[in-house]
């Protein structure tokens, strides 16, 4: 049986290994997996700096576009 990539990344992002979590978050952002956006947003408060930084960057360009669009209204 195959496991959807979103589910794999969801599990890896919750890893106790900070590097694995950071890599999963980075991939989720690069693939624009919005189904993981809430989990990634929560990881912006992670105790590990590498995970926090990955979470902040994962959807950063979308956040900027959203802020710009809000200001235009």
């Amino acid at each position: 049986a195959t496991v959807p990539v979103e589910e794999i990344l969801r599990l890896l992002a919750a890893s106790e290994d900070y590097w694995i979590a950071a890599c999963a978050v980075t991939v989720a952002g690069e693939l624009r997996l919005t189904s993981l956006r809430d989990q990634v947003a929560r990881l912006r408060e992670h105790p590990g700096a590498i995970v926090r930084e990955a979470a902040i960057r994962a959807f950063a360009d979308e956040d900027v576009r959203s802020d710009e669009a809000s200001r235009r209204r």
Side-chain angles (χ1 to χ4, degrees):
T2 60
V3 179
V5 69
E6 290 92 343
E7 185 60 27
I8 292 168
L9 292 174
R10 184 180 322 280
L11 294 170
L12 292 174
S15 174
E16 292 181 9
D17 183 306
Y18 291 179
W19 281 104
I20 291 174
C23 290
V25 167
T26 299
V27 171
E30 288 179 2
L31 295 177
R32 299 290 176 242
L33 298 177
T34 56
S35 61
L36 299 178
R37 182 183 271 277
D38 290 343
Q39 181 179 8
V40 169
R42 287 190 299 274
L43 291 174
R44 292 176 178 178
E45 303 298 323
H46 194 277
I50 191 74
V51 179
R52 282 195 312 271
E53 291 171 16
I56 289 166
R57 290 185 177 135
F59 293 98
D61 60 332
E62 287 183 13
D63 293 341
V64 168
R65 284 196 303 264
S66 176
D67 289 345
E68 290 173 353
S70 294
R71 281 185 246 141
R72 289 184 194 137
R73 292 182 198 160

